[in-house]
Amino acid sequence: MKLKITEPQFRVGFILVTTLFFMWGLSYGLVDVLNKHFQEALHITKAQSGLVQAAYFGAYFVIALPAGLYINKKGYKAGIILGLSLYAIGALLFVPAASVMTFGFFLFALFVLALGLGCLETAANPYSSALGSPETAEQRLNLSQSFNGLGQFFGPLIGGLFFFNEGSNPGSEGLGAVTYTYIGIALIVFILIILFIKTQLPDLRENEAKLDAENAKTNNASLWSHAEFKFGVLTQLVYVGAQVGVGAFFINLVVETWPASSSKTGAYFLSIAMLAFLVGRFVSTGIMSKISASRLLMVYAIVNTVLCVLILSGMQYISVIAAISVFFFMSIMFPTIFAMGVKNLGSKTKIGSSFMIMAIVGGAIMPYFMGKIADHYGTHMAYVLPLICFIAVILYAANYKKMTTTNNTVNSALT
């Protein structure tokens, strides 16, 4: 019998929660454009612009565990409302940041905004994957994350259209456009807060209790007894570093390796890359019904390793085309690693999710070091770091079945 993505009783909750994936995808899509925009408007180096990602993804590390504890006590809905509130506050902080015109204030605004997104991801990722049968958890989360990809597509499109207004002063007009964009985002977020307050979401505690009982029978009740979870967190750490790094300097790569291009051109190319990411999510969700999630993850990571080698060549046109292709094959990685890592945790899913979200700190670390390499050797050479990260993803995917089998064998022996 073919398993459904989700059941009728969970459908409204699943649709509403999926809107959140679009919203934080939109925010993330804008961040990579802000990286290049701040280089021009505030006259900072590539390494300094890497602090944009450091502030953004560093907030995930700070908020993830407190958010998990809060959600564990108050529930998924309360966590979502808290996250949306912080998201709106951070977006509105762009108004005074533009008035002060300091890089530090913009970083603070992004940090507060990302605190909200970290809270949302801690709640929405496990909630989406749990709204149905465990057998379809990876497909369900990948479907929700497909709308995240849609948001990431529109982000650089909006940024390219408004932030890089050629022929004008990027410091004044460009940052004004940034401000109005984030005010618009804040208004949308306020509407979502109202919708979530008024909507009754499914309570999953009964389902979690059943899984807890099964784990207790096999002495697999401890969070850290799950090898697939422990190594999943480590893999997520390096993968997110790769994803963020690939996007952070994508526009620089275009400017340096695509003849007669500009930052605005690079932003539009980034939109194409995000479109590839979006298409990859939808297409791969369908493929996942035929091929196991771990095997597909391994194949995609192998392809991306090869594509990073092509980027390192620095060849005109080829490097950019390879970088765009990387986005397609990255499409399933975050949600698949996430779902593979937390699917068997029961009521500990919320805390396990916190550690998975904390692993996003890899995105705060990677851009600075890629920026250092880019400043000295050219942007294309910085892609050696994502290459190493994709090799780590290959190892996790290749050993996933063995990890889950070992867990079951050991726990069966103990009972």
Side-chain angles (χ1 to χ4, degrees), residues 25-48:
L26 178 67
S27 177
Y28 173 54
L30 286 167
V31 164
D32 290 335
V33 183
L34 283 175
N35 183 294
K36 186 65 170 71
H37 181 59
F38 286 151
Q39 290 175 33
E40 298 178 359
L42 301 175
H43 309 293
I44 58 176
T45 66
K46 293 173 186 173
Q48 288 174 318

Side-chain angles (χ1 to χ4, degrees), residues 83-128:
L84 286 171
S85 300
L86 288 170
Y87 188 176
I89 292 168
L92 291 176
L93 282 173
F94 272 75
V95 177
S99 299
V100 176
M101 280 286 288
T102 62
F103 185 46
F105 206 144
F106 278 111
L107 292 180
F108 175 69
L110 278 170
F111 181 80
V112 174
L113 183 150
L115 287 176
L117 299 182
C119 195
L120 287 179
E121 291 215 42
T122 303
N125 279 297
Y127 194 54
S128 173

Side-chain angles (χ1 to χ4, degrees), residues 253-262 265 269 316-318 320-321:
L253 183 71
V254 173
V255 172
E256 293 173 23
T257 62
W258 194 278
S261 61
S262 64
T265 304
F269 271 111
Q316 290 186 352
Y317 303 112
I318 297 298
V320 174
I321 294 169

Side-chain angles (χ1 to χ4, degrees), residues 247-383:
F249 296 103
F250 180 90
I251 296 176
N252 291 97
L253 183 71
V254 173
V255 172
E256 293 173 23
T257 62
W258 194 278
S261 61
S262 64
S263 295
K264 190 168 187 176
T265 304
Y268 289 141
F269 271 111
L270 183 56
S271 287
I272 295 172
M274 292 303 186
L275 181 60
F277 190 84
L278 170 63
V279 171
R281 280 259 168 92
F282 280 109
V283 170
S284 303
T285 299
I287 296 174
M288 210 172 283
S289 64
K290 308 291 184 181
I291 302 174
S292 71
S294 59
R295 178 166 295 185
L296 192 62
L297 178 65
M298 182 176 68
V299 171
Y300 278 20
I302 291 171
V303 174
N304 269 352
T305 302
V306 174
L307 289 170
C308 282
V309 172
L310 290 176
I311 297 172
L312 287 171
S313 71
M315 290 187 289
Q316 290 186 352
Y317 303 112
I318 297 298
S319 290
V320 174
I321 294 169
I324 291 172
S325 302
V326 166
F327 280 85
F328 179 92
F329 293 102
M330 284 196 303
S331 61
I332 66 159
M333 291 187 180
F334 180 87
T336 302
I337 295 168
F338 194 105
M340 285 165 58
V342 305
K343 68 188 296 183
N344 299 315
L345 299 183
S347 64
K348 294 180 177 61
T349 299
K350 302 178 189 72
I351 301 302
S353 173
S354 296
F355 284 102
M356 281 287 185
I357 297 302
M358 286 177 73
I360 290 176
V361 75
I365 300 167
M366 180 68 77
Y368 178 77
F369 292 102
M370 286 186 68
K372 280 289 188 183
I373 295 172
D375 282 331
H376 290 90
Y377 305 105
T379 301
H380 65 285
M381 291 303 297
Y383 283 77

